[in-house]
Coordinates of all heavy atoms in Angstrom, one line a residue:
L95 N 105.3 224.6 -34.1 CA 106.7 224.9 -33.6 C 106.8 224.6 -32.1 O 107.8 223.9 -31.7 CB 107.0 226.4 -33.9 CG 108.4 226.8 -33.4 CD1 109.5 226.1 -34.1 CD2 108.5 228.3 -33.6
L96 N 105.9 225.1 -31.3 CA 106.0 225.0 -29.9 C 105.4 223.7 -29.3 O 106.1 222.9 -28.7 CB 105.4 226.2 -29.2 CG 106.0 227.5 -29.5 CD1 105.2 228.6 -28.8 CD2 107.4 227.6 -29.1
A97 N 104.1 223.5 -29.6 CA 103.4 222.4 -29.0 C 103.8 221.0 -29.5 O 103.6 220.0 -28.9 CB 101.9 222.6 -29.2
V98 N 104.4 221.0 -30.7 CA 104.7 219.7 -31.3 C 106.3 219.5 -31.4 O 106.9 218.8 -30.6 CB 104.1 219.5 -32.7 CG1 104.5 218.1 -33.3 CG2 102.6 219.6 -32.6
A99 N 106.9 220.3 -32.2 CA 108.3 220.2 -32.4 C 109.2 220.7 -31.2 O 110.1 220.1 -30.9 CB 108.8 220.9 -33.7
G100 N 108.8 221.8 -30.7 CA 109.5 222.4 -29.6 C 109.6 221.5 -28.4 O 110.7 221.4 -27.8
V101 N 108.5 221.0 -27.9 CA 108.5 220.1 -26.8 C 109.4 218.9 -27.0 O 110.2 218.5 -26.1 CB 107.1 219.6 -26.4 CG1 107.1 218.6 -25.3 CG2 106.2 220.8 -26.0
Q102 N 109.3 218.3 -28.2 CA 110.1 217.1 -28.5 C 111.6 217.4 -28.5 O 112.4 216.7 -27.9 CB 109.7 216.6 -29.9 CG 108.2 216.1 -30.0 CD 108.0 214.8 -29.3 OE1 108.9 214.1 -28.9 NE2 106.7 214.5 -29.2
A103 N 111.9 218.5 -29.3 CA 113.4 218.8 -29.4 C 114.0 219.2 -28.1 O 115.1 218.8 -27.7 CB 113.5 219.9 -30.4
G104 N 113.3 220.0 -27.3 CA 113.8 220.4 -26.0 C 114.0 219.2 -25.1 O 115.0 219.2 -24.3
Y105 N 113.0 218.3 -25.1 CA 113.1 217.2 -24.2 C 114.3 216.3 -24.6 O 115.1 215.8 -23.7 CB 111.8 216.4 -24.2 CG 111.8 215.2 -23.3 CD1 111.6 215.3 -21.9 CD2 112.0 213.9 -23.8 CE1 111.6 214.2 -21.1 CE2 112.1 212.8 -23.0 CZ 111.9 213.0 -21.7 OH 111.9 211.8 -20.8
F106 N 114.4 216.0 -25.8 CA 115.5 215.1 -26.3 C 116.9 215.8 -26.0 O 117.8 215.1 -25.6 CB 115.4 214.8 -27.8 CG 114.5 213.7 -28.1 CD1 113.3 213.8 -28.7 CD2 115.0 212.4 -27.8 CE1 112.5 212.7 -28.9 CE2 114.2 211.3 -28.0 CZ 112.9 211.5 -28.6
A107 N 117.0 217.1 -26.2 CA 118.2 217.7 -25.9 C 118.6 217.7 -24.4 O 119.7 217.5 -24.0 CB 118.2 219.2 -26.4
A108 N 117.5 217.8 -23.6 CA 117.7 217.8 -22.2 C 118.2 216.4 -21.7 O 119.2 216.3 -20.9 CB 116.4 218.1 -21.4
I109 N 117.6 215.3 -22.2 CA 118.0 214.0 -21.7 C 119.4 213.6 -22.1 O 119.9 212.6 -21.6 CB 116.9 212.9 -22.0 CG1 116.9 212.7 -23.6 CG2 115.6 213.2 -21.5 CD1 116.1 211.5 -24.0
S110 N 119.9 214.3 -23.1 CA 121.3 214.0 -23.5 C 122.3 214.5 -22.5 O 123.5 214.2 -22.6 CB 121.5 214.6 -24.9 OG 121.6 216.0 -24.9
R111 N 121.8 215.4 -21.6 CA 122.7 216.0 -20.6 C 122.4 215.8 -19.2 O 123.2 215.9 -18.3 CB 122.8 217.5 -20.9 CG 123.1 217.8 -22.4 CD 123.3 219.3 -22.5 NE 124.5 219.8 -21.9 CZ 125.7 220.0 -22.4 NH1 125.8 219.6 -23.7 NH2 126.7 220.4 -21.7
I112 N 121.1 215.5 -18.9 CA 120.6 215.3 -17.5 C 119.8 214.0 -17.4 O 119.3 213.5 -18.5 CB 119.8 216.5 -16.9 CG1 118.6 216.7 -17.8 CG2 120.7 217.7 -16.9 CD1 117.7 217.9 -17.3
P113 N 119.6 213.4 -16.2 CA 118.8 212.2 -16.1 C 117.4 212.4 -16.6 O 116.8 213.5 -16.6 CB 118.8 211.9 -14.6 CG 120.1 212.6 -14.1 CD 120.2 213.8 -15.0
V114 N 116.8 211.3 -17.1 CA 115.5 211.3 -17.7 C 114.5 211.8 -16.7 O 113.6 212.6 -17.0 CB 115.1 209.9 -18.3 CG1 113.7 209.9 -18.7 CG2 116.0 209.5 -19.4
G115 N 114.5 211.3 -15.5 CA 113.6 211.6 -14.5 C 113.6 213.1 -14.2 O 112.6 213.8 -14.0
V116 N 114.8 213.7 -14.1 CA 114.9 215.1 -13.8 C 114.4 215.9 -15.0 O 113.6 216.9 -14.8 CB 116.4 215.5 -13.6 CG1 116.6 217.0 -13.4 CG2 117.0 214.7 -12.4
A117 N 114.7 215.5 -16.2 CA 114.2 216.2 -17.4 C 112.7 216.2 -17.4 O 112.0 217.2 -17.7 CB 114.8 215.6 -18.7

Side-chain angles (χ1 to χ4, degrees):
L95 176 65
L96 299 177
V98 180
V101 173
Q102 300 283 350
Y105 180 79
F106 274 109
I109 63 169
S110 69
R111 307 184 69 93
I112 60 178
V114 172
V116 177

